[in-house]
């Protein structure tokens, strides 16, 4: 199957095309407009000369003894015929249409073109045709001292016409004078546009050189002040990408360092116990004790690895996991049910005391996997740090409280343990922090996982004493979420 790939376009060529294409399209239009202007300019001087000839001939029309006469002196006739480029025609008609002088075939004005009294002696110009040749005609009606016929004054018609050769030649010369320099200016303009465009996109090349000159570990932001305004949004996006990439790399480095640090101790213990078990002369009791130590160390290493993977998933994968409406009460009850066996082994009273899953205000927007991990880590922390015995069992309680008025839902996990001093309440959310003098088993990663998942869901984590008036006061972790209305179609697995 043929795979079609999108052709890579050049920004330089794209801009150049959009600048030169209109220029090349407008050039023929400029030619046409120049030709029209040249025709107008060429007509004006020749029209004035034609009007002068018509007025001169009109002055030669006279009335003698009741007869219309026209006498053309030889100098005037020679003046009319002296034009070497054009042929000049003239015609003089009496009021009754009789030809007094000139060319009889010269066309008459169309229709009844006699002007009003106010327009008499005015020269009228028109385009016409004589024996298949285009001509320009100047006509003037000359009033005569004769009696009016049928209420109309006696008017003689004088017309002077010439062919359009001189006009065409002058228009052509004007066009040549205007357009020929453009054949030099147009390539020069293209060259100047090319150079200006190359100079204009030079900052892009400078940015490219700065990026290529960087070291592989240099993820510092690019300087937005040295780039054009049009490129600033692109540089800002690159800086945002560099920041996120630096955070991701820092997270990976921290994860590797944490994993190496936390796995070093249990793995060393495993190796030591294995060496002790392999020594000669080891008794059965010592071998059994070594195997028990190996089992405990492997369980601790497994728990540490799981916690590290959960922290890595919370820090790096939370943004990629889809969020959906989740029933926080149902997720909490499922996490409590999963933690019951561990609580029974430690003689703890673990239970859920809160809003039922059918309550309307227990829905939140989030990822069910991460939310369940958050609840599980809070329960594991409470189970690990709550002392208990068969004679005096400890108590761990989980609850979800809905507040429909303020659109808030609270997740609380409290225990009857020793509590956390105020000076250490911020420190317990740091990775691998362990309270001094505490023998509880744990990796110090559960609460950092809780805070990271809460941050990704826009929630707040609060640590306080569960019972300030008792000793020990216990600890209460409260996670504050923004509540959602009950969805019309609850997702599978969270349905009511």
């Amino acid at each position: 199957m043929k795979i079609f790939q999108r052709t890579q376009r050049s920004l330089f060529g794209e801009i150049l095309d959009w600048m030169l294409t209109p220029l090349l399209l407008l050039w023929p239009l400029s030619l046409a407009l120049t030709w029209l202007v040249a025709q107008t300019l060429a007509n004006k001087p020749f029209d004035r000369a034609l009007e002068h000839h018509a007025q001169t001939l009109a002055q030669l029309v006279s009335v003698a003894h009741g007869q219309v006469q026209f006498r053309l002196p030889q100098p005037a006739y020679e003046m009319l015929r002296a034009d070497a480029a054009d042929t000049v025609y003239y015609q003089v008609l009496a009021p009754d249409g009789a030809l007094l002088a000139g060319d009889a075939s010269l066309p008459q004005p169309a229709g009844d073109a006699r002007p009003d009294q106010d327009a008499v002696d005015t020269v009228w110009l028109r385009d016409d045709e004589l024996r298949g040749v285009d001509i320009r005609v100047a006509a003037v009606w000359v009033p005569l001292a004769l009696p009016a016929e049928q209420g109309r004054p006696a008017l003689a018609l004088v017309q002077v016409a010439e062919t359009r050769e001189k006009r065409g030649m002058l228009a052509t010369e004007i066009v040549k004078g205007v357009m020929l320099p453009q054949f030099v200016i147009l390539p020069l303009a293209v060259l100047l546009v090319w150079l200006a465009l190359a100079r204009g996109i030079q900052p892009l090349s400078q940015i490219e050189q700065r990026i290529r000159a960087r070291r592989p570990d240099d993820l510092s932001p690019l300087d937005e002040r040295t780039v054009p305004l049009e490129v600033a949004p692109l540089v800002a996006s690159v800086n945002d990408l560099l920041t996120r990439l630096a955070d991701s790399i820092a997270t990976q480095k921290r994860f590797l360092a944490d994993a190496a640090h936390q796995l070093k101790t249990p793995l060393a213990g495993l190796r030591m116990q294995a060496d002790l078990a392999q020594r000669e002369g080891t008794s059965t009791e010592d071998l059994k004790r070594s195997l028990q130590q190996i089992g405990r160390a492997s369980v601790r290493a497994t728990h540490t690895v799981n916690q590290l993977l959960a922290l890595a998933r919370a820090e790096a994968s939370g943004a990629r996991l889809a969020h959906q409406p989740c029933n926080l009460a149902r997720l909490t009850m499922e996490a409590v049910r999963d933690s019951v066996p561990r609580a029974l082994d430690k003689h703890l009273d673990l239970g859920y005391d809160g809003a039922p899953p059918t309550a309307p205000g227990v829905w939140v927007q989030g990822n069910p996997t991460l939310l369940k991990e958050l609840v599980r880590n809070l329960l594991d922390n409470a189970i690990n740090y709550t002392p208990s015995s068969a004679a005096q069992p400890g108590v761990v309680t989980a609850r979800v409280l809905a507040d429909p008025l303020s659109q808030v839902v609270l997740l609380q996990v409290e225990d009857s343990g020793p509590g956390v001093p105020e000076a250490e309440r911020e420190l317990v959310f740091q990775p691998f922090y362990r309270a001094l003098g505490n023998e509880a088993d744990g990796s110090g990663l559960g609460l950092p996982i809780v805070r990271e998942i809460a941050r990704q869901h826009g929630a707040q984590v609060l640590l306080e004493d569960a019972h300030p008036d008792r000793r020990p006061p216990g600890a209460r972790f409260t996670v504050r979420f923004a509540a959602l209305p009950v969805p019309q179609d609850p997702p599978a697995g969270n349905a009511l």
Side-chain angles (χ1 to χ4, degrees), residues 193-238:
V193 169
W194 182 288
L195 295 176
L197 186 57
R199 178 66 179 85
I201 66 173
Q202 192 173 9
L204 296 179
S205 301
Q206 296 175 354
I207 295 175
E208 177 190 2
Q209 293 173 3
R210 286 159 51 191
I211 294 177
R212 288 184 180 275
R214 286 193 166 204
R215 301 188 308 274
D217 58 344
D218 185 5
L219 298 178
S220 59
L222 300 172
D223 190 0
E224 300 181 24
R225 298 171 298 178
T226 60
V227 299
L229 292 177
E230 292 77 9
V231 188
L234 175 61
V235 175
S237 301
V238 173

Side-chain angles (χ1 to χ4, degrees), residues 8 13 68 107 109 116 128 161 172 185 235 264 275-276 318 401 429 433:
Q8 190 174 15
V68 180
D116 297 334
D128 217 320
T172 302
I185 295 175
V235 175
K264 179 171 62 176
D275 290 342
L276 291 175
L401 304 176
F429 290 101
Y433 179 81

Side-chain angles (χ1 to χ4, degrees), residues 381 418-426 428 447 463-465 473-475 477:
N381 180 79
V420 180
E422 290 189 13
E424 299 184 20
R425 289 179 183 177
E426 187 63 28
V428 297
L447 294 181
L463 172 57
E464 57 187 352
D465 291 334
F477 289 88

Side-chain angles (χ1 to χ4, degrees), residues 47 50-51 91 105-110 113 123-129 134-141 157-162 164 167:
D47 283 348
L50 203 60
E51 291 176 2
Q91 182 187 72
S105 60
L106 195 65
Q108 302 286 321
V123 180
W124 300 83
L125 295 171
R126 73 178 189 276
D127 293 322
D128 217 320
E129 184 176 327
D134 292 334
I135 59 175
R136 183 73 168 171
V137 183
V140 58
W141 295 92
L157 175 62
V158 176
Q159 293 191 110
V160 180
E162 65 179 5
R164 306 181 64 91
R167 301 166 186 264

